[in-house]
């Protein structure tokens, strides 16, 4: 009969994955062994056996330092996902169905439209204080990946995503595309930005966004004249790039501060380009008791469009 520490995933012993991640974090066998409360020879032997088992070298040993190989870097990210899924599963199995508790995982892009969702989270926790929320921020591909891997109960997509096997609720709120720039930039004198204004202009853009949806259609006339100076995944970093005059950020309104004193301004695109905000989950996915209760709250709220 298996115990929690005997679980395997894809033929891998969960215990060995934990050992592997400890060495990754410490960068040193001796320090990792101390953190795991085992001896250094035992850990060294376990890591060596793990490498033989999977048929790949995971570390390059330089003195006392353990440097990850390319295969090791790949396994590090996957191991974190696997252990997170195991932890989520164990928590759900331990949950008492009579008491709403546990963690609800949401993967989301960046949008001001998350504010009304955040208000629902606050109200939900006021009613069920033993429920916690984990919000992971990423682009659309990252959100979809976390749903597919079972690491997220729900995903919040900015713009329509073609996932035939997803259930979707569309928020009332929409996002407006525009350009963030220094307040002393020449284009800041305009009320809006045309596609010709972006021709050869150094741009700071979120990874992949210029190739999807209505924004991609809007940009088609100057597709061969786009000058991508830098890409980003988080809006705060985009703001720093704009402040340092790396380029003009193509982004949604209200996710980068443009208030007085910020030194930045937002100007919408013209003709206007907007993106819907979709709250999605996978069809047939088993949702925890807490996640099902939260979904009912979202579904019946006025933050979604009701047909």
């Amino acid at each position: 009969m298996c115990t929690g520490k005997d679980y395997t995933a894809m033929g891998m012993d969960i215990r060995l994955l934990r050992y592997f991640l400890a060495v990754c974090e410490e960068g040193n066998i001796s320090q990792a062994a101390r953190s795991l409360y085992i001896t250094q020879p035992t850990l060294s032997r376990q890591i060596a056996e793990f490498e033989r088992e999977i048929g790949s070298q995971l570390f390059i040993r330089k003195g006392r330092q353990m440097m990850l190989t390319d295969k090791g870097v790949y396994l590090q990210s996957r191991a974190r996902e696997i252990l997170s899924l195991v932890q989520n599963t164990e928590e759900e199995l331990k949950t008492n169905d009579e008491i709403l508790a546990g963690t609800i995982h949401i993967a989301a892009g960046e949008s001001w439209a998350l504010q009304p969702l955040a208000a629902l989270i606050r109200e939900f926790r006021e009613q069920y204080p033993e429920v916690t929320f984990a919000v992971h921020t990423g682009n659309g591909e990252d959100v979809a990946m976390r749903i597919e891997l079972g690491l997220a109960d729900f995903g919040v997509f900015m713009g329509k995503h073609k996932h035939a096997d997803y259930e979707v609720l569309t928020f009332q709120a929409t996002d407006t595309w525009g350009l963030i720039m220094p307040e002393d930039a020449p284009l800041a004198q305009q009320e809006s930005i045309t596609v010709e204004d972006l021709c050869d202009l150094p741009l700071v853009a979120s990874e992949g966004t210029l190739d999807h949806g209505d924004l991609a259609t809007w940009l088609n006339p100057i597709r061969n004249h786009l000058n991508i100076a830098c890409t980003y995944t988080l809006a705060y970093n985009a703001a720093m790039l704009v402040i340092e005059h790396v380029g003009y950020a193509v982004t949604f309104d209200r996710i980068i501060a443009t208030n007085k004193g910020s030194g930045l301004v937002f100007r919408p695109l013209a003709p206007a380009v907007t993106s819907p905000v979709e709250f999605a989950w996978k069809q047939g996915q088993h949702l925890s008791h807490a996640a099902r209760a939260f979904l009912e709250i979202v579904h019946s709220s006025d933050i979604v469009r009701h047909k």
Side-chain angles (χ1 to χ4, degrees), residues 103-106 151-155 280-282 285-288 291:
T103 302
I104 297 173
H105 296 262
I106 300 175
L151 298 173
D153 300 300
F154 307 107
W281 64 101
K282 196 171 183 179
Q285 177 180 343
H286 172 75
L287 295 174
S288 67

Side-chain angles (χ1 to χ4, degrees), residues 76-267:
Q76 182 184 34
S77 64
R78 288 302 190 188
R80 287 171 176 162
E81 292 168 355
I82 292 168
L83 292 182
S84 177
L85 184 57
V86 169
Q87 181 180 353
N88 296 346
T89 303
E90 289 177 338
E91 288 179 356
E92 175 60 19
L93 290 173
K94 293 175 182 176
T95 300
N96 184 339
D97 287 341
E98 297 180 0
I99 302 175
L100 216 57
T103 302
I104 297 173
H105 296 262
I106 300 175
E110 290 185 294
S111 169
W112 76 273
L114 288 182
Q115 183 173 345
L117 182 64
L120 286 185
I121 290 174
R122 173 182 52 77
E123 293 171 6
F124 191 81
R125 291 204 70 250
E126 288 173 353
Q127 187 172 358
Y128 306 107
E130 293 191 41
V131 175
T132 60
F133 286 78
V135 179
H136 174 88
T137 302
N139 59 26
E141 288 74 16
D142 188 36
V143 171
M145 180 194 71
R146 296 187 76 83
I147 292 176
E148 293 298 325
L149 291 175
L151 298 173
D153 300 300
F154 307 107
V156 182
F157 294 97
M158 282 65 214
K160 288 188 175 294
H161 279 69
K162 298 178 181 178
H163 296 293
D165 58 345
Y166 283 15
E167 299 281 358
V168 173
L169 296 175
T170 303
F171 283 4
Q172 297 279 4
T174 59
D175 283 308
T176 299
W177 285 98
L179 213 61
I180 298 287
M181 66 195 77
E183 60 186 3
D184 59 355
L187 287 178
Q189 306 308 311
Q190 301 179 189
E191 293 186 0
S192 59
I193 304 299
T194 67
V195 70
E196 291 80 12
D197 291 328
L198 270 60
C199 190
D200 296 320
L201 194 72
L203 300 177
V204 175
S206 178
E207 296 177 359
T209 56
L210 302 187
D211 298 317
H212 298 286
D214 293 336
L215 180 61
T217 302
W218 189 88
L219 288 169
N220 272 341
I222 61 164
R223 179 62 58 181
N224 295 330
H225 294 276
L226 287 177
N227 176 11
I228 309 301
C230 190
T231 61
Y232 70 91
T233 54
L234 293 176
Y236 181 84
N237 293 338
M240 296 301 101
L241 292 165
V242 175
I243 288 172
E244 291 301 322
H245 295 84
V246 173
Y248 296 70
V250 182
T251 187
F252 295 139
D253 192 10
R254 291 186 278 186
I255 64 170
I256 291 178
T258 56
N259 53 301
K260 186 176 181 180
S262 68
L264 301 174
V265 296
F266 174 87
R267 295 293 179 263

Side-chain angles (χ1 to χ4, degrees), residues 20 24 51 56-61 66-76:
F20 166 72
C24 292
E51 289 179 317
S56 295
Q57 183 179 359
L58 302 174
F59 295 100
I60 297 173
R61 292 146 178 88
M66 302 287 283
M67 311 292 292
L68 284 169
T69 63
D70 289 343
K71 289 286 184 68
V73 171
Y74 173 78
L75 180 60
Q76 182 184 34

